[in-house]
Amino acid sequence: SDGQSYAQTGTGTVAIASNELTVTNTTGDVYLILGSRTGSDMEGTHHFALSTSVMVEGLALRYVNANNFYRLSASTTTLTITKKSAGILSTLKTAAVALSTGTYYNLRFRVTGGSPGVPALLEGRVWADGVVEPTNWTITASD
């Protein structure tokens, strides 16, 4: 956290200590909404560690509400780009990855375009903390 205020949707206990956010006691998706949600071209980076092999971390862009957004999510085995529109979740692309629990990673997600006649380009990558960020995208999709 860089100290920005945020709004939380979903259930879970959120704590920030030493600029590190922890979410516990979740019973579903938890979103922490930072800044404006109305941008067109957007990019975000997320620093995370998976505490269990059944956990999924992610970053949502163009988030309007819990029923409308794009998301890049990572599990220990899969990187996935999804779209939720009018409450219907669609998988746009998946890629195999090998992530370990208890290890810190970085996740970068970019969404560009998407005006009438121009499909949105969605790009994502994940890499281990302390390693130089790769220049190639691990996963790309269009919508």
Side-chain angles (χ1 to χ4, degrees), residues 89-103:
L89 187 65
S90 304
T91 299
L92 300 178
K93 191 82 171 264
T94 61
V97 295
L99 305 182
S100 301
T101 58
T103 300

Side-chain angles (χ1 to χ4, degrees), residues 8-124:
Q8 177 181 339
T9 64
T11 60
T13 303
V14 175
I16 298 176
S18 300
N19 291 326
E20 185 170 300
L21 173 81
T22 304
V23 180
T24 57
N25 303 322
T26 63
T27 58
D29 289 346
V30 176
Y31 294 95
L32 301 174
I33 304 154
L34 298 171
S36 171
R37 297 176 286 172
T38 60
S40 176
D41 292 348
M42 301 180 90
E43 185 170 329
T45 303
H46 177 58
H47 183 75
F48 70 98
L50 299 169
S51 58
T52 69
S53 62
V54 296
M55 185 168 206
V56 176
E57 283 283 328
L59 183 61
L61 296 179
R62 292 192 183 169
Y63 182 96
V64 176
N65 55 41
N67 290 310
N68 298 282
F69 56 83
Y70 288 112
R71 178 174 55 207
L72 175 66
S73 57
S75 70
T76 55
T77 60
T78 308
L79 197 60
T80 305
I81 295 175
T82 53
K83 171 187 179 179
K84 197 166 192 183
S85 179
I88 299 170
L89 187 65
S90 304
T91 299
L92 300 178
K93 191 82 171 264
T94 61
V97 295
L99 305 182
S100 301
T101 58
T103 300
Y104 280 96
Y105 295 94
N106 297 291
L107 186 75
R108 183 178 301 275
F109 187 31
R110 178 186 296 168
V111 180
T112 55
S115 59
V118 179
L121 176 62
L122 302 104
E123 303 167 298

